[in-house]
Amino acid sequence: MTEGNFVDYVKIYVSSGKGGKGSTHLHREKFIEKGGPDGGDGGRGGHVILRGNKNLWTLFHLKFTKHVKAGHGGDGGSSRSTGHDGEDKIIEVPLGTVVKDQETEEILFEITEHGEEKIVARGGKGGLGNWHFRSATNQTPRYAQPGMPPEEHDVILELKVLADVGLVGFPNAGKSTLLSVLTSAKPKIADYPFTTLKPNLGIVAYRDFQSFVMADIPGIIEGAAEGKGLGHYFLRHIERNSTLLFLVPADADDIKKEYDILLDELRRYNPELLDKERLLVISKSDMLDAELQAEMKVLLDRDFQQIPYLFISSVAQQGLQELKDTLWKMLNS
Ligand SMILES: Nc1nc2c(ncn2[C@@H]2O[C@H](COP(=O)(O)OP(=O)(O)OP(=O)(O)O)[C@@H](O)[C@H]2O)c(=O)[nH]1
Ligand SMILES: [Mg+2]
């Protein structure tokens, strides 16, 4: 899919630098007729490296990048001096970028963390200088290793953002906490309403090379659609999410009522939001004992016949795998 500024597929030819040659230099000095070998090693060729950057959300910045070439390593010199390493080239990519070899279509790796670096074309090793090849039978070797050749191939970068999950809940429901345990995002978390003032996004890594984006938005309150609280400023951020995850904390007075208020605010803001798939989680379930949870289930089964619900606790790490599995199924159905 390539739509406007949203680019999630690019092909780039990457080539590393070749390694520098080892030197065959023989030491020469006044009055020393036959100096020993002193040729230094060649430098390593530059790598082409991919680096995760959490501030990037598409591959748009690479749309016109066709080639990326790293620098060659320098040759070894006399007096055992080592050649310089070739310059590395860094390609910044959004989290969730999957890298494939174009020819074999094999997945090489995925970048999921901010600052994570992986080599996509390894620089050739520098050759060893003749100095290393001295032996009892040959004190003045006149050979040295050549540098290793560069690596070059076409790679495909693909952004695996299949769909998004938007978190919907009252202030203090535990949305940011959930994002912080499912992704490497570090949103601000605190025990007061409106801690989150602008959306946070994180990538949820799912099993092998899969992932999806989760968006944490500021809490919604009654009247939000008319601009109460942070108003509809933030509701637009969930318009693009394909699945909405409603969070109602276990200690809410009336779960059904809270859910209905949330739903009503969404409807009043944009009725199309109700076409999205919905999942309800009862957050902070660590506050419930088994008996209380069983009682609650009876009510939930009565009140929520249309939409699935789960009990989770971010703090106690309960129900999180089931949550991810359920979301994954919803996103891919
Ligand atoms: N016991 C318990 N407390 C939790 C859990 N998750 C979050 N909390 C607490 O609930 C409070 C609010 O958490 P946040 O994640 O900031 O809530 P939020 O929904 O992002 O709040 P806003 O950004 O204000 O909308 C914090 O004090 C959290 O420590 C949980 O699973 N169990
Ligand atoms: Mg928050």
Side-chain angles (χ1 to χ4, degrees), residues 1 54 115 120 136 187 218 257 286 292 333:
M1 177 174 51
K54 69 173 169 21
V120 67
K257 189 167 163 210
D286 51 286
L292 213 51
S333 64

Side-chain angles (χ1 to χ4, degrees), residues 170 247-249 252-262:
F170 279 12
L247 270 82
V248 179
D253 292 335
D254 186 338
I255 290 178
K256 176 75 164 104
K257 189 167 163 210
E258 206 164 290
Y259 173 80
D260 285 340
I261 292 173
L262 291 169

Side-chain angles (χ1 to χ4, degrees), residues 179-200:
L179 187 81
S180 76
V181 297
L182 293 186
T183 75
S184 59
K186 303 269 174 289
K188 191 171 164 199
I189 292 165
D191 190 18
Y192 55 81
F194 297 115
T195 305
T196 302
L197 298 174
K198 60 182 177 50
N200 298 300

Side-chain angles (χ1 to χ4, degrees), residues 169-178 188-197 216-220 247 283-287 312-316:
F170 279 12
N172 238 10
K175 300 179 293 300
S176 301
T177 309
L178 180 62
K188 191 171 164 199
I189 292 165
D191 190 18
Y192 55 81
F194 297 115
T195 305
T196 302
L197 298 174
D216 165 35
I217 64 166
I220 291 172
L247 270 82
S283 59
K284 311 191 188 181
S285 291
D286 51 286
M287 298 198 288
I312 65 154
S313 165
S314 303
V315 168

